[in-house]
Amino acid sequence: MSKVISEDIERVLISEDEIEARCKELAGQIEADYEEKRIVPIVIGLLKGSVPFMAELIKYFRHPIEIDFMSVSSYSGSESIGDVKINKDTDLSVKGKTF
């Protein structure tokens, strides 16, 4: 019999409703920042942990966006190596993008 993930959760720090509300707010803020600019924002997530949050965030954008991912590591096994290693860089170019 499979175990339900909620059985492993001791307490919820931020509710689903709070996450949804904050994602709506963030998407609105980002769109407002880009309203007067003639560029499409690129939303870049760090694999793999950002995927659920990014999925929640990007569904509230009303205007076009581009999506890309990076994979980084600062560990070798269970030891921190002290530097960030880029395992996968973005595929989209940010050259010429102004902020």
Side-chain angles (χ1 to χ4, degrees):
M1 184 157 112
S2 67
K3 190 174 184 180
V4 178
I5 193 167
S6 62
E7 293 173 2
D8 292 332
I9 298 172
E10 186 175 316
R11 68 186 173 110
V12 175
L13 299 176
I14 303 171
S15 73
E16 218 174 309
D17 291 340
E18 290 172 308
I19 293 170
E20 180 180 340
R22 184 63 177 135
C23 284
K24 285 179 183 177
E25 184 181 333
L26 283 172
Q29 287 175 340
I30 293 167
E31 286 194 318
D33 288 345
Y34 282 86
E35 194 170 351
E36 299 297 321
K37 299 178 179 159
R38 295 184 174 196
I39 59 173
V40 175
I42 302 173
V43 179
I44 300 173
L46 294 176
L47 292 172
K48 298 177 182 175
S50 72
V51 173
F53 174 75
M54 275 188 63
E56 184 67 25
L57 175 66
I58 65 175
K59 72 183 184 182
Y60 298 110
F61 281 88
R62 297 167 307 181
H63 302 293
I65 60 169
E66 293 183 271
I67 302 166
D68 207 347
F69 292 94
M70 292 180 71
S71 177
V72 299
S73 174
S74 63
Y75 283 84
S76 177
S78 61
E79 295 286 322
S80 175
I81 57 176
D83 291 320
V84 175
K85 177 183 168 196
I86 297 176
N87 300 320
K88 181 212 172 295
D89 204 348
T90 59
D91 294 322
L92 295 172
S93 174
V94 294
K95 186 176 182 179
K97 301 277 184 169
T98 58
F99 301 98

